[in-house]
Amino acid sequence: MNRKDKKRQSDIRDSKSAIWGGRFTSGPAQIMEQINSSVGFDQRLYNQDIAASKAHSSMLTDQKIISKKVGSAISDGLDTIQKEIENGTFEFSNALEDIHMNIESRLSELIGDGAGRLHTARSRNDQVATDFRLWVRDAIDITDAALMRLQEILISRAEEHSDTIMPGYTHLQTAQPVTLGHHLLAYVEMIGRDRGRAKDCRGRLNECPLGSGALAGTSFPIDRVKTAFLLGFDNPMANSMDGVSDRDFALEYLSFASIVGIHLSRLSEELVIWSNPSFGFVSLPDTFSTGSSMLPQKRNPDAAELVRAKTGRIIGALNSLLIVMKGLPLTYSKDMQEDKEPVFDTADTLELCLYTMATMLSEIKFNPAPMMEAAINGNSNAIDLADWLVKALGKPFREAHLITGSLVKIAEDRECKLEELSLKDMQAVDNEITEDVFRVLKLEISINSRNSFGGTAPANVRVACGVARSKYL
């Protein structure tokens, strides 16, 4: 740090009016500075803070609250600061507390007294609320793009495996045969709902707090519609007290992110299970596996496990902010400084998890043979026998269910598959059963018969992939 910057920080600490004005006769204790300062993390808001300050300055100029000359100097100074931050030459000071005061202080060094006019009709309360909304809005857009990429990969893999037969599970027990393509498309729909939640969240947060002041608005003739328009908001927030105190948008973002995390965790869990040699449904690429320091044969699904684990981190962030906000009276309290770190961490974690999952799924190898074997060995065609008894013999479903269960028990006792029972074995349970039953017990027939809307039939899957591409991509 050069002499000028050291003097700057010394002046900040010694001056009783650097931030808080003449109310205080001394600066904060060192430990107070440490707990109070947020610039270590909220410097991530610099782009949004500069954009909001430019919009505010432009409005003040148009409203003749500040001169055009001052407005132009402010804009040029903010451009310089942005370049300094981006090229790493900007010196952040903990003594200046946050990104807002760091930028304002540097602006004062660059343009002099004109910098002090920027804060006319503005408080740090509405300033930070505006910056944070802008940041979360950008984060939602980044997340939505990552979700769409994941959908695209899932749809492509579903098209590739529209005919691949695997067991479908309930209670992690073999239930019915399904296609892998159908299974993967289930996650496409989950992510579609996630993107809907992102859109809703973005729409609700897209109101501008700037101009709310500390809490009660301002006596200056400001134009809040103009600043909202310049920053891409739909409109200014209707109530100044709500404008500075609301953090619903951050909670909603964390809630949406938690649900995305849950979906990623469920898919991760399946990849962990499927990669186990006892299943062998997938072979993980070397790029997303690790070995053992002791056991040379091991291929560990660490990437999937870490995505699964990081969901807990995201849910924890939501819980953290819920607890911070639950007892706060109107309007702003310093507690709300704790809103940013969980949101920043969640955005970083979610982006990493989405990128990891998308890349891993694009490289993963699905193994149709063990999938088919598992579907056959699990008597997943039992429901087809029951359905045949209803359709061909006119049995009530409950009776058909009982007959089928009895035949499954016989097959289990003989350690054979349902379709390996003889016609005589079947007729011993119900003498109306005919040779035609063996046709419906073929898994390919079973799969193709599930052609109701939303069903697993390969023809359905191929159509569904096309619909999903049109709907989501």
Side-chain angles (χ1 to χ4, degrees):
M1 188 182 298
N2 60 38
R3 181 180 301 173
K4 178 182 176 182
D5 290 329
K6 287 181 179 178
K7 183 177 186 304
R8 175 185 171 218
Q9 291 209 3
S10 176
D11 289 345
I12 289 163
R13 292 187 181 95
D14 294 342
S15 174
K16 62 187 177 184
S17 61
I19 300 174
W20 304 326
R23 169 65 179 83
F24 289 81
T25 58
S26 65
Q30 185 176 359
I31 192 66
M32 176 59 184
E33 182 179 302
Q34 186 176 344
I35 193 172
N36 194 47
S37 176
S38 60
V39 72
F41 54 84
D42 70 14
Q43 61 186 260
R44 294 181 64 159
L45 298 173
Y46 78 90
N47 269 321
Q48 291 75 22
D49 192 71
I50 289 171
S53 289
K54 282 185 173 181
H56 186 65
S57 175
S58 176
M59 180 274 295
L60 292 176
T61 302
D62 287 353
Q63 295 300 106
K64 297 181 171 50
I65 297 170
I66 63 174
S67 69
K68 289 184 179 179
K69 181 179 179 181
V70 169
S72 178
I74 288 172
S75 181
D76 291 345
L78 290 171
D79 285 341
T80 298
I81 292 169
Q82 186 161 23
K83 290 175 184 175
E84 289 178 348
I85 294 174
E86 289 172 352
N87 65 26
T89 61
F90 188 95
E91 292 284 348
F92 290 100
S93 166
N94 285 334
L96 285 167
E97 293 189 11
D98 55 34
I99 183 63
H100 322 295
M101 294 310 301
N102 269 265
I103 287 175
E104 185 175 323
S105 177
R106 178 59 177 148
L107 185 63
S108 181
E109 291 176 355
L110 291 171
I111 71 170
D113 291 343
R117 299 187 183 277
L118 174 59
H119 210 54
T120 306
R122 186 178 74 172
S123 163
R124 275 193 297 174
N125 292 355
D126 61 340
Q127 187 178 3
V128 67
T130 303
D131 295 355
F132 198 25
R133 279 177 183 264
L134 289 170
W135 196 94
V136 172
R137 190 177 70 184
D138 291 343
I140 289 172
D141 292 343
I142 291 169
T143 301
D144 183 69
L147 287 167
M148 185 171 70
R149 177 174 179 261
L150 180 55
Q151 281 183 305
E152 184 174 16
I153 290 168
L154 284 165
I155 292 168
S156 295
R157 300 311 306 263
E159 288 172 331
E160 182 185 344
H161 290 281
S162 60
D163 295 282
T164 300
I165 296 174
M166 66 175 293
Y169 298 99
T170 62
H171 307 276
L172 205 56
Q173 304 297 310
T174 301
Q176 288 182 252
V178 297
T179 55
L180 174 58
H182 191 59
H183 193 121
L184 296 176
L185 286 179
Y187 285 99
V188 173
E189 293 303 311
M190 291 184 207
I191 295 167
R193 292 192 296 275
D194 291 333
R195 293 181 66 193
R197 278 181 278 270
K199 182 179 180 181
D200 290 345
C201 178
R202 194 187 195 282
R204 269 186 289 276
L205 75 76
N206 208 38
E207 294 184 330
C208 186
L210 197 57
S212 297
L215 76 162
T218 178
S219 61
F220 288 94
I222 62 173
D223 183 352
R224 293 191 62 204
V225 173
K226 177 179 176 62
T227 49
F229 173 77
L230 289 174
L231 293 170
F233 289 109
D234 295 329
N235 45 262
M237 294 186 74
N239 184 285
S240 61
M241 296 180 75
D242 183 47
V244 299
S245 66
D246 170 55
R247 292 299 184 271
D248 291 358
F249 65 94
L251 290 169
E252 191 168 1
Y253 170 74
L254 292 174
S255 177
F256 140 72
S258 295
I259 297 173
V260 174
I262 287 169
H263 292 156
L264 294 177
S265 183
R266 295 182 72 180
L267 181 52
S268 296
E269 172 71 2
E270 294 199 308
L271 294 178
V272 169
I273 292 171
W274 292 353
S275 65
N276 185 297
S278 300
F279 281 75
F281 292 180
V282 300
S283 298
L284 295 176
D286 289 348
T287 47
F288 286 94
S289 306
T290 64
S292 166
S293 62
M294 177 181 179
L295 307 170
Q297 84 282 6
K298 292 288 295 300
R299 179 189 289 270
N300 299 324
D302 282 12
E305 290 173 344
L306 286 168
V307 170
R308 182 177 62 186
K310 286 181 184 295
T311 297
R313 183 169 175 166
I314 295 171
I315 294 170
L318 170 60
N319 195 45
S320 171
L321 188 53
L322 284 168
I323 292 170
V324 167
M325 295 301 299
K326 72 173 181 61
L328 298 186
L330 294 179
T331 54
Y332 182 82
S333 298
K334 194 67 171 182
D335 311 52
M336 292 161 71
Q337 183 169 289
E338 293 297 307
D339 58 359
K340 293 166 199 66
E341 286 183 284
V343 170
F344 292 160
D345 185 72
T346 290
D348 293 343
T349 301
L350 190 57
E351 184 177 0
L352 176 62
C353 288
L354 285 168
Y355 182 81
T356 298
M357 182 60 73
T359 309
M360 182 164 53
L361 281 172
S362 68
E363 297 181 11
I364 210 166
K365 180 178 180 292
F366 292 102
N367 302 320
M371 290 183 180
M372 173 65 93
E373 184 179 357
I376 293 172
N377 290 339
N379 286 325
S380 63
N381 53 358
I383 185 61
D384 297 283
L385 173 54
D387 286 350
W388 181 84
L389 291 169
V390 171
K391 290 187 283 188
L393 303 183
K395 305 279 188 185
F397 182 78
R398 287 301 173 198
E399 182 182 349
H401 186 283
L402 181 63
I403 294 168
T404 302
S406 299
L407 290 171
V408 168
K409 180 66 168 61
I410 293 170
E412 287 178 346
D413 290 344
R414 296 184 183 179
E415 297 182 352
C416 68
K417 303 178 185 65
L418 188 58
E419 62 270 27
E420 291 175 342
L421 293 175
S422 67
L423 179 60
K424 182 178 179 181
D425 293 330
M426 293 191 179
Q427 288 178 336
V429 175
D430 190 299
N431 60 13
E432 296 183 59
I433 296 176
T434 68
E435 191 77 32
D436 290 343
V437 72
F438 291 101
R439 184 174 179 275
V440 301
L441 294 179
K442 294 180 180 178
L443 290 192
E444 293 83 355
I445 300 295
S446 171
I447 285 289
N448 282 287
S449 71
R450 306 296 169 190
N451 56 10
S452 59
F453 180 78
T456 191
N460 280 24
V461 173
R462 286 187 283 271
V463 170
C465 286
V467 171
R469 282 192 179 277
S470 299
K471 182 178 179 181
Y472 296 123
L473 306 183

